[in-house]
Amino acid sequence: MTSTVTDPSMPAGDWIDVALRADGVVHKSDYVDDDGFTARVMSALPAPATLPAWRRPALAVLWGLAAVGIAFALPGAMMDVARVVLRVVGSLPISLPGLTAGVIALAAMSWAAAAFALRSD
C-alpha cells in the first residue's frame, strides 16, 4: 500500500485521486485467479431477450402515420393559434409604462440567459 499523499496546495479530494492512481500503478500487473467462477456465472446467465422481427417495421409505419397526421393538422392549428394571439394582443391597451416594463423585462431575461450560458462551472 502506498502512503497517503497530503499536499495542502491541492484542492480537497485531489490527494485521494493521486493516492488511488499510485496504488493502481503498483497493483496493475496483479491477477486474481477465480478458478473459472466468472466463466461459470456467464454461462449460467439466460440468453438475452430478442424483439420480434415485425416490431421495427411496425414502429416505422406508426411513426410515419403520426408524422402525416401532424402534417395535416399543423397548418390549421397554427392558424387558430395565430388568430387567438392577434385577438389577445389587439385588445391590450398600449401605454408608455407598459412598453417600458416590457423592454426592461426583456433586457433582464437576456442578461440572465447570457449569464447562465457564459458561466464557468
Side-chain angles (χ1 to χ4, degrees), residues 20-29:
L20 289 173
R21 287 184 200 280
D23 197 41
V25 169
V26 170
H27 298 290
K28 186 175 186 176
S29 63

Side-chain angles (χ1 to χ4, degrees), residues 4-82:
T4 305
V5 178
T6 55
D7 184 4
S9 66
M10 285 187 181
D14 283 355
W15 67 269
I16 294 174
D17 289 334
V18 171
L20 289 173
R21 287 184 200 280
D23 197 41
V25 169
V26 170
H27 298 290
K28 186 175 186 176
S29 63
D30 294 346
Y31 176 75
V32 177
D33 186 23
D34 66 353
D35 195 30
F37 174 76
T38 304
R40 287 193 307 271
V41 169
M42 292 304 292
S43 66
L45 290 176
T50 58
L51 297 174
W54 57 266
R55 185 175 184 262
R56 186 175 298 242
L59 282 176
V61 168
L62 288 174
W63 279 110
L65 289 174
V68 169
I70 289 171
F72 277 118
L74 198 55
M78 293 308 285
M79 290 299 292
D80 292 340
V81 168

Side-chain angles (χ1 to χ4, degrees), residues 46-114:
T50 58
L51 297 174
W54 57 266
R55 185 175 184 262
R56 186 175 298 242
L59 282 176
V61 168
L62 288 174
W63 279 110
L65 289 174
V68 169
I70 289 171
F72 277 118
L74 198 55
M78 293 308 285
M79 290 299 292
D80 292 340
V81 168
R83 284 189 190 107
V84 170
V85 167
L86 287 175
R87 189 178 317 143
V88 169
V89 170
S91 66
L92 294 176
I94 298 174
S95 64
L96 187 59
L99 288 174
T100 305
V103 168
I104 290 172
L106 285 174
M109 287 187 288
S110 298
W111 277 97

